[in-house]
Amino acid sequence: MIEPFAKPFYITQPLLPDMDEFNEMLKSIWASKQLSNNGTMVKQLERDLSGYLNADYLSVFSNGTVALQLACKVLRLSGEVITTPFTFAATTHSLLWNNLKPVFCDIEEDTYNINPDLIESLITQDTTAIMPVHVFGNPCNVAKIKQIADKYGLKIIYDAAHAFGVKVDGKPISSFGDISMFSFHATKIYHTIEGGALTFKDPYFKERADSLRNFGIKNTDTVLEPGTNGKLNEIQASVGILLLKQVESEIENRKEITNYYRQFLKDIPGIITVNDIEGVSHNYSYFVIRVDKTEYGYSRDELFDKLLEYNVIARKYFYPLCSNFQCYRDYPSSLKDKLPVANKISDMVLSLPLHGRMQKEDVEKISSIIKAIHEG
Ligand SMILES: *Cc1c(COP(=O)(O)O)cnc(C)c1O
């Protein structure tokens, strides 16, 4: 029997800024006496991120969910929005918070992203937009989605929460769709503890988003519309400025860990891993396997429970599907036989621990545990 890990081996571990550098940042914030409201740090972070993500226009927010909610407002969406059930709750919830009706579209078997071949059949006269997700950082079929959006005059908001720094044929992921949302939550590959960003093609969209994140206030005498409080503060922005210097090496390290996983898991029956996609620069933010019970001998849920006995904390991303949440399951598009692939994949996927400080031995041990469980 393999010894369990002495301490819980969590799904991920956040990047942390260098303490001395962070202290220097804090000193300058203390000296400025400005802690929030579009200060020096937030402005610098927006410049740095626009550069890194190659975005035309970019704004930062207190979190990715608020950013997504405001993206819908900026585009003045109404009626129905076609989206994927295979995502984090925030994607669908952001639509409801805007009184929009999510229409769930099934996913592709290989990328777990929205299946563009099924989008057209879901379009009605109430459809105003498509909200796809680049699931686990794997880019959607952006060309096909654009073609459909152009044909029907629909807007596209990409939930790019997982896709920080990803490129498709050299093009930055932020260059697709009208708006893209990035999440900077501490569990994401790049973060500001809590935080998020929107990237825009149109400078007018940034202007409105900046107003909406600050209550819709235009100036001391004018409030334009009912905005919200979506501001990022100076201390979190300084964390973001410092961590941006670490992202490249984090991606490199995770790539190495990912390749070890692929190598060590390759010959275990019923454990399916996903390869890199040609032409894509991945960010390796998640390592996700599929468990085929008939070949592996145990279901995903059984493997998840057994891994806990070894102190390995995996995650069932994304289970349950949004379409199966109590608040959405009565929608006509939520019917299980309309979403066969999503329902099947959601019962098979398991995210394994991944971060840049992991060692080859950790990957080897987790893989051996998965093998030992199979061999009973
Ligand atoms: C993390 C995440 C969000 C929400 O981001 P927060 O910054 O945590 O609000 C939205 N969509 C997806 C797919 C996510 O993984």
Side-chain angles (χ1 to χ4, degrees), residues 63-66 68 87-88 90-91 133 159 161-162 181-185 187-188 194-196 286 318:
N63 60 64
T65 304
V66 162
L68 209 48
T87 182
F88 184 59
T91 316
V133 181
D159 179 334
H162 300 172
M181 181 281 288
F182 297 87
S183 165
F184 303 154
H185 183 257
T187 53
K188 305 298 205 273
E194 292 270 0
Y286 299 87
F318 287 106

Side-chain angles (χ1 to χ4, degrees), residues 68 83-85 87-97 100 102 104 131 322-323 325 328:
L68 209 48
T83 186
T84 171
T87 182
F88 184 59
T91 316
T92 319
H93 288 353
S94 74
L95 298 172
L96 262 284
W97 277 73
L100 296 163
F104 295 113
M131 186 181 280
C322 293
S323 51
F325 294 175
Y328 304 121

